Amino acid sequence: MRSVFYAVVMLVWGLSGCAARMGDLDIPDREAIYERPLEEMWPQVREFFTENKLPYREDKGSMVLQTDWRQEFGGSKISGYWHRYMVLGKRESPTQSKLWIIRITKSANKTLSPTGGQLSWGVSRALGGGEELSVEDLEAYFDAPQGENSFFAESGQGSRDLVMEWRVFNSVAPKLAKEENAPRPVQVAKAPEAKEAPNAMAIECGLPIIGLGKHAKKGAVLLLGEMHGTQEVPRFVAQAACQAMVAGMPVTVGLELPLENQTRVDAFLESAGTEEDWLKLMEAPFWRSPYPDGRSSEAVANMLEQLRQLRSRGLDLEAFVFDHPKAQGQQRESAMAATVKHQVESASERFYVVLSGNIHARTKSGLPWDKTYRPMGLLLEEKLDDVVALDMAYDSGSAWICAVDTKGAKDKLDCGIRNAKGNDNGDRFFVHRWDGRNDAGYHGVFYVGPVNASAPAVHKGMGRPGEDDHSGHPLKDEGSSYASTR
């Protein structure tokens, strides 16, 4: 059951009204209706996918097509997510038609599996409106599997993509109306050194994040306060950056990594991502901390690879680190805030996505153990014009968490996989801002769905994440020192 909060978010989204000119990050609140019969509209739809190099298979005569799988964030070997579109032509009236475009996502790690690991092949999973076929039924219709289609059945889900529907409409409708001025293609944020800008449709950024478009502005800082150690938050950051850049906004990502790692991060983002490049990045002491708190997780390493991929394809992406681990308490907060402030003021034409622990992101002073504490978020809000601080919201799952070991030595941290209890607001990423702020100083939340723990990257070696090569840092037998998810 979805929570009341999620229902309110969706209601506001559905009733908020459609601006006359929507931005490329905005989620439309209505369907795109073509003033042409389906048979006249469909050839132009087919042409759109052909021109944008999205190969597809088509069920002849039924006005249904399905594109090939493509990997999230480009050619990365470690993203773990693939997407395809299923496009269904529908008759609105004898003279009108519309499209339903379903984005189907699959993951080899089974994160997307429905409860029980099996699909429900009946009407309970239908797309709505009394439709006879669910996404999975149509998938089976195309692939005609013999026996079990086990890979998809254990790792897939589908969601309607209204943003894609309107992208197709904005390209196809003028041609149907025979207008002389064809729509200009979406201009992505091209890196200054890139020879040419990639086509917006060539970059796979995942299902659009609801609510992100309102915050992706020049000079704006989206300050994300996270619980370290999940797979989902780094992916949220990579998707947010990708979607903003494809919509034309240059993006800078800020990470709570030690300042001395900046040169390594810069070098890696500029590199070809070879095994040698990975080893240079991962040999920093930060990745081998005896108390890895989640910031050095495999998911964070994967995110750096995803950002590198986006940059290598010509998108205008920068990244900086801002932690001052040698400082403590208020001195550390002030130093981190000064670093972030310097970055923002040095390039005010960019959109900043800054990820930190959720205590640092607060915009109100005081903590239970220190009433005078002034967090980084508060210091930034006092100095910068546009800072929005969001707390992490999530559904229950697990996370890699470090906590004080009350049974062992004094002040010793115990790090491992532990249960994380949250609230079910659905599976889809979204950003929601309140009218004011809560007692911790947050302006709203960013929601990442059910969470899954991400262990330290070096537990699988210092080479490319996911390769399990154990190079330079063999996996140790940790015995019972790591907590397990119950």
Side-chain angles (χ1 to χ4, degrees), residues 243-292:
Q243 292 174 19
M245 288 185 292
V246 166
M249 182 64 60
V251 175
T252 297
V253 174
L255 300 172
E256 191 191 341
L257 273 59
L259 208 60
E260 54 267 26
N261 285 264
Q262 185 67 60
T263 301
R264 294 182 191 273
V265 170
D266 288 340
F268 179 73
L269 293 180
E270 291 285 352
S271 74
T274 66
E275 194 66 34
E276 182 180 357
D277 296 325
W278 272 105
L279 289 172
K280 289 179 179 178
L281 173 71
M282 303 294 288
E283 67 184 3
F286 164 75
W287 298 97
R288 301 191 301 276
S289 168
Y291 301 113

Side-chain angles (χ1 to χ4, degrees), residues 313-428:
R313 301 187 73 179
L315 294 176
D316 192 354
L317 181 133
E318 302 287 346
F320 71 96
V321 299
F322 59 85
D323 190 19
H324 294 253
K326 295 180 181 179
Q328 295 182 357
Q330 188 59 59
Q331 184 183 17
R332 182 185 176 207
E333 297 290 337
S334 299
M336 290 195 297
T339 300
V340 176
K341 174 177 174 291
H342 172 74
Q343 290 286 336
V344 176
E345 292 180 338
S346 298
S348 59
E349 76 286 355
R350 307 181 68 82
F351 171 48
Y352 291 83
V353 181
V354 179
L355 180 65
S356 75
N358 51 19
I359 288 180
H360 306 307
R362 295 178 175 218
T363 65
K364 282 192 175 181
S365 61
L367 293 171
W369 58 88
D370 186 350
K371 301 300 182 183
T372 65
Y373 203 81
R374 290 168 56 79
M376 177 184 71
L378 173 62
L379 299 175
L380 289 174
E381 189 179 50
E382 292 175 346
K383 299 295 183 180
L384 299 175
D385 294 331
D386 191 349
V387 175
V388 174
L390 303 177
D391 196 8
M392 176 184 172
Y394 55 91
D395 193 3
S396 297
S398 61
W400 179 274
I401 296 174
C402 289
V404 176
D405 183 4
T406 57
K407 296 180 181 180
K410 184 179 180 181
D411 296 331
K412 181 181 179 181
L413 290 178
D414 179 31
C415 301
I417 298 175
R418 290 176 169 80
N419 293 331
K421 185 172 178 57
N423 294 313
D424 181 6
N425 287 305
D427 298 323
R428 184 151 178 194

Side-chain angles (χ1 to χ4, degrees), residues 451-470:
V451 291
N452 294 272
S454 183
V458 295
H459 282 193
K460 293 188 177 182
M462 291 177 60
R464 184 188 301 275
E467 297 297 323
D468 294 333
D469 64 349
H470 310 308

Side-chain angles (χ1 to χ4, degrees), residues 226-238:
E226 71 156 342
M227 171 182 65
H228 300 312
T230 70
Q231 297 177 24
E232 287 68 31
V233 171
R235 182 170 178 240
F236 181 98
V237 171

